[in-house]
Amino acid sequence: MPFDLLLGRKTFDIWAKFWPQHNDIWPAVNTATKYVASNTITSHEWQPSVFLSGDIAEKLSKIKQQEGPDLHVYGSANLVQTLLKHDLVDAFWLKIFPITLGSGKRLFADGTIPAAFKVTESTVTSNSVIIVNYQRVPKQTGFWELGLMPKS
């Protein structure tokens, strides 16, 4: 299934050094349009790339209204916080590894708005990694309808 990418600048910098030389591993990453949130770079040889600066939430809202493939975000922790704060996340594909680090970046940091998601797919790998898809449910859906709150 075709997709485009939405990446923060740091993730883009890392990927742009690797993926163009490894087309045999994941060819779709090189043909996907890469939307990059950056206030410092405006062009790059890894194409197709579109650089977004300024109000990223507003620009992404407009992109989401256009016809086109789904936007996938990998890494890009700071960008994900912006997306969550502006209710621009439609789904999560999370990989949960059975380790604890004790510190680090939080997926749901301060400023994340309350939102409901529902599991639509999940699997556990032979290495105990849980891969789960959460889809956003409509705002009017209550926690009781999702079975997330006990009924008294």
Side-chain angles (χ1 to χ4, degrees), residues 54-125:
D55 188 341
I56 300 301
E58 180 184 331
K59 291 178 179 174
L60 183 58
S61 291
K62 290 178 182 175
I63 292 168
K64 285 181 63 171
Q65 292 172 11
Q66 300 171 7
E67 288 293 320
D70 288 346
L71 286 171
H72 294 187
V73 179
Y74 291 87
S76 306
N78 293 334
L79 175 59
V80 169
Q81 295 308 310
T82 299
L83 301 178
L84 287 168
K85 287 177 185 174
H86 293 278
D87 198 17
L88 293 170
V89 176
D90 298 320
F92 285 108
W93 273 103
L94 299 180
K95 294 179 183 175
I96 304 166
F97 292 81
I99 59 172
T100 57
L101 300 175
S103 64
K105 293 183 180 180
R106 297 177 183 268
L107 177 58
F108 304 108
D110 291 342
T112 301
I113 64 165
F117 291 83
K118 186 172 185 171
V119 173
T120 58
E121 281 184 67
S122 66
T123 187
V124 179
T125 70

